[in-house]
Amino acid sequence: MVTVNHQRVPRKRTYLMCSPEHFAVEYAINPWMDVTAPVDTELTVKQWDRLRETLVQLGHEVHLLTPERGLPDMVYAANGAFVVDGAVYGAQFKHEQRAAEAAAHRAFYESQGWRFIAPSETNEGEGDFAYVPEAHGGLILAGHGFRTELPAHAEAQEALGRPVVSLRLVDPRFYHLDVALAAIDDANIVYFPGAFSAASQKVLAQLFPDAVIADDADVMAFGLNLVSDGLNVVLNSEAAGLAEKLEAVGYHPVPVKLSELKKGGGSVKCCIAELRH
């Protein structure tokens, strides 16, 4: 394989994160959660702190959401809303264990003066929505099949004024879009075809002919649950194979260890919501 030397340019991002001081696996709402596996809270906080510090060192701004006792999954801040062009489409969680998180996110956005659009359909924010601003004039990629309901895709399109492409997830291990697909710059994505229906695979191949294609090992290591600024790709350190693929096409992988948060079924992206002004 010939290594292609593309000139990648980072763009400063603004993110929202929430400390995992109350993180625990107290219930199982995805195939990765095992209530019998102990969680080391101190190590979880250390790993999360390292992730936050990594983003700051890369030049990004990180806002913090105050964690609430009794909401152990609040650390997965990506799920609370989806923000495009300064408009916030709020989340409405599928499972009652996480339902109260939506109000905490709404309070944050409203306190910051963002334009908040309350949802009437079940959706889990950036867990199932990805934005690629320079692809086809600005596309929202939206997953459904396990958490976010299909009518939420139409609601998001009306709320945000951007075309939404619906993609059907078919493997329960990849219950959110952000475990199977990620934007790696403003025009391109990386994804694992096996997470999607045959028709959705065709749609992705048509829209993103130059996408980076991940394999089983990449997706099982939560490698696709990543955050990229267009050059620097922050991803789970277990996903060494994916890091090599990204480096081969001009990106700079930045591995971080998130072994404890993986026990809840999430990694880098799950912990980070992007605030797009």
Side-chain angles (χ1 to χ4, degrees):
M1 187 180 87
V2 177
T3 299
V4 182
N5 185 24
H6 293 284
Q7 188 62 41
R8 307 292 180 192
V9 181
R11 178 169 61 79
K12 182 181 175 180
R13 313 285 173 133
T14 304
Y15 296 125
L16 177 67
M17 297 179 68
C18 182
S19 168
E21 60 191 73
H22 302 308
F23 176 69
V25 180
E26 298 173 349
Y27 45 78
I29 57 173
N30 69 59
W32 303 92
M33 300 177 89
D34 179 357
V35 295
T36 66
V39 170
D40 184 333
T41 305
E42 187 179 348
L43 179 58
T44 307
V45 172
K46 280 183 181 174
Q47 291 180 344
W48 178 90
D49 268 334
R50 181 73 195 112
L51 173 60
R52 181 184 56 78
E53 288 165 5
T54 298
L55 297 174
V56 173
Q57 287 164 4
L58 289 170
H60 305 303
E61 184 179 351
V62 179
H63 293 264
L64 296 177
L65 185 66
T66 304
E68 296 183 16
R69 195 176 299 278
L71 295 175
D73 281 344
M74 258 187 90
V75 62
Y76 301 126
N79 303 153
F82 178 53
V83 186
V84 175
D85 298 334
V88 183
Y89 175 52
Q92 181 171 296
F93 288 86
K94 179 181 176 69
H95 296 287
E96 62 179 351
Q97 292 96 328
R98 299 195 64 185
E101 293 177 40
H105 282 266
R106 179 173 186 165
F108 167 80
Y109 287 109
E110 290 183 336
S111 74
Q112 299 293 310
W114 292 78
R115 185 167 68 87
F116 188 89
I117 301 109
S120 58
E121 304 291 346
T122 299
N123 82 88
E124 300 201 346
E126 279 199 315
D128 275 321
F129 290 106
Y131 186 50
V132 198
E134 292 178 13
H136 309 279
L139 276 188
I140 294 170
L141 304 179
H144 68 101
F146 298 102
R147 296 290 185 85
T148 296
E149 299 290 341
L150 191 55
H153 295 186
E155 187 173 66
Q157 181 167 286
E158 287 301 307
L160 302 171
R162 294 287 185 178
V164 174
V165 177
S166 294
L167 303 166
R168 187 160 71 90
L169 296 162
V170 295
D171 187 326
R173 294 173 300 175
F174 316 124
Y175 59 96
H176 271 157
L177 183 73
D178 71 2
V179 187
L181 178 151
I184 42 176
D185 58 38
D186 288 344
N188 204 10
I189 64 169
V190 56
Y191 70 100
F192 174 62
F196 300 93
S197 69
S200 293
Q201 290 181 40
K202 288 180 180 177
V203 169
L204 286 168
Q206 179 181 328
L207 291 174
F208 299 97
D210 299 321
V212 176
I213 304 300
D215 61 25
D216 288 65
D218 300 328
V219 72
M220 292 301 287
F222 274 73
L224 288 137
N225 196 243
L226 60 80
V227 164
S228 174
D229 62 15
L231 169 64
N232 303 292
V233 182
V234 183
L235 78 169
N236 195 300
S237 58
E238 293 177 30
L242 182 60
E244 288 179 9
K245 292 183 182 108
L246 291 167
E247 196 163 30
V249 289
Y251 295 95
H252 176 236
V254 182
V256 292
K257 191 166 186 178
L258 286 180
S259 56
E260 291 304 293
L261 287 164
K262 190 178 172 186
K263 293 175 181 177
S267 188
V268 174
K269 176 59 197 167
C270 286
C271 295
I272 302 166
E274 185 169 349
L275 310 184
R276 303 175 187 86
H277 294 278

